[in-house]
Amino acid sequence: MAENTTTTVQEVYAELVARLKEIHDIHSVMGILHWDQEVIMPPGGGDSRAQQLATLAGLSHDKFTSPEIGEWLGQLEAAPESEFNPIELCNIRETRREYDREVKVPRRLVQELAELGSRGHHVWVQAREKNKFNDFAPLLEKMVELKKEWAKCIDPARPAYDVNIDVFERGFTMQRIDPVFERLKAELVPLIAAIQDSDYKPDTSFLQGTFPIAKQKELGQRVIRDMGFNFDNGRVDVSVHPFCGGGDCTDVRITTRYREDNFIESLYAAVHETGHALYEQGRMKDQKALPVSEALTTGVHESQSLFWERMIAQQEAFIERYCGLLAETFPESFRGIDPHTAYEAINVSQPSFIRVEADEVTYPMHVILRYEIERGLFDGSMSVKDLPEIWNDKMEAYLGVRPANDREGVLQDVHWSGGAFGYFPSYTLGAMMACQFYRALEREVPDIRDHVRNGNFQVIKDWLNRNVHSKGKLHDTDTLLTQVTGEPFNPEPFITYLQEKYTAIYRLEGNQARS
């Protein structure tokens, strides 16, 4: 009697899931290796680490692009949608999207990008320390060349930069981003100038002094624990560039950095990265190895970090909550400082050279500068060798300051060393989404500021878990925003928020901020 070899669609789906879990495990190991590289790896391990990551990237690529996955997807897509629940449909849809992209890229290019990205981090760190862009320029030129080649493999009909943006912010292209950023420039450049021209300057003298790093660490740990960071599934370390990484939602690792003369930077970097971490820790646990559980886009991820950093931790109610703790932690500086004075000082707006130290008014200009440079590199209108001068000219035009060296200019960010072109727009797109999410939270929880003032952050964390973190990739960005906020992506709440907040802080006339 012949054996029945008919395979059900659920059995095919189970085979796909098993393969995706294997690939997820490889990516988790790569995540730990990336974390190790930036936190504790000895400098001499750079070349070996680059080879290790390239090997793992090749293995992942081979597993994901095998003909079996294409066959399984074909069988699953041929079945009626009624055979699957929304989570299963999402996993099939997202795997198809990624599979179609990966099979177009040769293994050689995947490994070359992984190796160059790992080596690039070490080269960038060394060039930054020596303050020599020319040491980094050859690698950057090669990375741009490879990312153009990669984009051509994916979709030769689309602009290479759009293909790169799509990795981080699906649904957004230069055509959609350009008018948003032009509107921001039109509104923020005059606002920045009005703030600088204002006769009123918040007192920031108490933010200057010596703040022991041990005390900063204690303060940061207290605040992020209050926010709901789960230390059983996470840890906090120090790195050159603060980031959130790790293996998966059960092993989330964040970093900050410390300066004895500036505790605000380390504290708010920790809050920012904890916002990322709460997104990761709030993902669907039973689907953690599958696409449906992943963060929707980089911009949505950034919206969560900026939601906590700006919409929560920079509001006056938050300062009221922690002003006593600040005075207890740094008595020489904070004793006798009232919450409103501290609020104004922490929200002071002043053009600066470093993006990660920028305030929320000037920050978008840092992003727009990088976006315009990346666009120029990919369309050929700018060359790598000219970047220091281009960078400095744009800083002067947008923010009125000119970097004195490469370290405080073109060499300050890690992103290009790993080929993350198209990432920068997500920071400001995410800030805009954060405003939309916060307005929705206020409508649903009208006394939210009282909750913040009382340290009841659980209500915020639960709201975000329910409305954003647990949704994964079930919806596209505009659909998610519409479901949560009542409208798709909209930059106007962000512009209004900045104008109203900083007009009040700096005693500006409304028309002065808008002129």
Side-chain angles (χ1 to χ4, degrees):
M1 184 175 177
E3 184 179 350
N4 185 356
T5 58
T6 303
T7 305
T8 68
V9 291
Q10 283 301 325
E11 288 172 332
V12 173
Y13 179 76
E15 290 185 281
L16 176 65
V17 165
R19 178 65 59 83
L20 293 177
K21 287 182 176 180
E22 288 180 2
I23 296 166
H24 167 267
D25 289 343
I26 295 173
H27 289 170
S28 292
V29 172
M30 292 176 74
I32 298 299
L33 290 178
H34 277 297
W35 170 86
D36 174 85
Q37 176 176 279
E38 299 209 26
V39 176
I40 58 174
M41 186 188 79
D47 288 343
S48 293
R49 179 56 45 83
Q51 184 56 51
Q52 292 158 6
L53 288 168
T55 297
L56 290 173
L59 287 172
S60 172
H61 181 73
D62 288 347
K63 281 185 173 293
F64 197 77
T65 57
S66 70
E68 293 169 316
I69 286 190
E71 292 168 8
W72 293 333
L73 287 172
Q75 292 176 58
L76 295 171
E77 289 163 342
E81 285 196 1
S82 58
E83 292 276 352
F84 309 102
N85 63 42
I87 286 176
E88 292 168 338
L89 285 172
C90 181
N91 283 326
I92 295 166
R93 180 179 68 246
E94 291 299 321
T95 304
R96 168 60 75 185
R97 170 184 157 87
E98 191 66 24
Y99 178 79
D100 285 350
R101 188 162 57 187
E102 287 290 317
V103 293
K104 296 174 181 177
V105 182
R107 190 180 199 274
R108 181 268 313 163
L109 181 54
V110 170
Q111 289 192 288
E112 198 170 351
L113 280 166
E115 186 171 3
L116 186 66
S118 180
R119 187 159 50 84
H121 179 266
H122 178 71
V123 173
W124 167 73
V125 168
Q126 295 299 312
R128 187 172 179 270
E129 286 178 359
K130 295 176 184 176
N131 196 25
K132 289 178 66 177
F133 176 72
N134 287 341
D135 287 356
F136 179 59
L139 187 138
L140 179 57
E141 286 180 340
K142 181 65 175 177
M143 185 62 82
V144 172
E145 177 188 321
L146 290 180
K147 292 299 284 187
K148 285 181 178 178
E149 181 185 352
W150 174 87
K152 191 173 182 180
C153 291
I154 302 295
D155 190 346
R158 296 175 65 197
Y161 190 41
D162 275 351
V163 178
N164 278 269
I165 291 172
D166 190 67
V167 173
F168 304 104
E169 219 54 51
R170 67 173 72 179
F172 284 83
T173 61
M174 289 182 284
Q175 188 175 14
R176 189 175 186 187
I177 294 171
D178 283 348
V180 173
F181 283 0
E182 287 302 315
R183 171 137 176 73
L184 268 187
K185 281 198 288 187
E187 296 290 346
L188 294 190
V189 170
L191 177 60
I192 292 166
I195 289 170
Q196 298 314 301
D197 292 341
S198 173
D199 293 331
Y200 180 78
K201 304 295 181 188
D203 177 15
T204 60
S205 58
F206 53 92
L207 297 182
Q208 293 148 25
T210 300
F211 305 95
I213 288 175
K215 291 287 188 181
Q216 292 189 48
K217 287 182 177 179
E218 289 177 16
L219 175 65
Q221 295 259 340
R222 162 71 184 276
V223 171
I224 67 176
R225 193 181 296 276
D226 289 350
M227 290 168 60
F229 181 74
N230 183 352
F231 281 89
D232 287 337
N233 294 112
R235 57 178 292 131
V236 185
D237 293 279
V238 179
S239 65
V240 174
H241 196 295
F243 70 97
C244 174
D248 61 20
C249 60
T250 68
D251 179 4
V252 181
R253 307 180 185 200
I254 63 173
T255 68
T256 186
R257 60 186 179 192
Y258 299 98
R259 284 170 42 188
E260 281 204 328
D261 64 341
N262 185 347
F263 81 91
I264 293 295
E265 180 186 342
S266 69
L267 175 61
Y268 278 84
V271 171
H272 179 98
E273 300 306 334
T274 300
H276 283 304
L278 293 178
Y279 192 171
E280 290 297 312
Q281 292 183 341
R283 287 167 46 188
M284 306 177 201
K285 298 294 187 296
D286 60 340
Q287 299 285 320
K288 67 179 182 180
L290 301 175
V292 69
S293 173
E294 294 172 0
L296 179 52
T297 71
T298 306
V300 174
H301 222 312
E302 289 300 329
S303 79
Q304 300 306 287
S305 57
L306 294 170
F307 185 100
W308 283 101
E309 178 191 359
R310 300 200 179 147
M311 310 312 296
I312 301 299
Q314 286 182 223
Q315 67 173 253
E316 193 161 354
F318 185 91
I319 309 303
E320 290 174 15
R321 173 65 184 174
Y322 288 105
C323 208
L325 180 60
L326 291 174
E328 182 184 316
T329 306
F330 306 117
E332 293 183 4
S333 299
F334 262 83
R335 183 172 292 144
I337 300 299
D338 65 274
H340 185 70
T341 300
Y343 162 74
E344 289 194 338
I346 287 171
N347 283 282
V348 72
S349 179
Q350 177 68 42
S352 62
F353 299 115
I354 307 300
R355 174 185 61 84
V356 297
E357 298 172 10
D359 59 84
E360 60 185 339
V361 182
T362 59
Y363 192 101
M365 303 314 300
H366 287 268
V367 168
I368 292 170
L369 175 154
R370 288 154 175 79
Y371 168 75
E372 291 175 347
I373 287 177
E374 289 184 346
R375 189 179 60 192
L377 288 173
F378 275 82
D379 69 19
S381 62
M382 297 180 190
S383 61
V384 168
K385 66 180 177 61
D386 298 327
L387 288 193
E389 185 176 0
I390 292 171
W391 184 289
N392 294 347
D393 287 347
K394 285 182 176 289
M395 284 291 291
E396 197 162 18
Y398 296 161
L399 293 170
V401 296
R402 191 175 187 88
N405 54 60
D406 294 338
R407 185 185 295 116
E408 64 184 21
V410 71
L411 276 178
Q412 65 183 266
D413 294 305
V414 68
H415 302 61
W416 291 344
S417 70
F421 301 105
Y423 190 122
F424 284 116
S426 295
Y427 288 117
T428 291
L429 297 175
M432 295 171 177
M433 295 177 205
C435 272
Q436 290 184 261
F437 285 132
Y438 185 73
R439 282 175 128 197
L441 173 63
E442 278 189 316
R443 287 195 297 270
E444 192 170 323
V445 188
D447 59 344
I448 189 60
R449 291 177 189 271
D450 290 335
H451 285 289
V452 173
R453 193 175 289 111
N454 295 326
N456 180 21
F457 300 116
Q458 189 67 41
V459 67
I460 302 171
K461 179 174 175 288
D462 288 347
W463 189 88
L464 292 170
N465 282 159
R466 184 171 65 252
N467 288 291
V468 182
H469 307 161
S470 64
K471 300 300 183 183
K473 289 187 172 178
L474 284 170
H475 313 292
D476 61 44
T477 302
D478 284 324
T479 301
L480 177 69
L481 283 166
T482 301
Q483 288 186 352
V484 180
T485 74
E487 63 178 355
F489 174 78
N490 181 6
E492 295 307 316
F494 177 68
I495 294 170
T496 301
Y497 158 75
L498 292 179
Q499 289 173 330
E500 290 180 351
K501 178 177 178 178
Y502 287 88
T503 292
I505 290 175
Y506 281 90
R507 288 37 168 189
L508 303 176
E509 296 296 331
N511 61 352
Q512 183 181 11
R514 293 172 180 272
S515 61

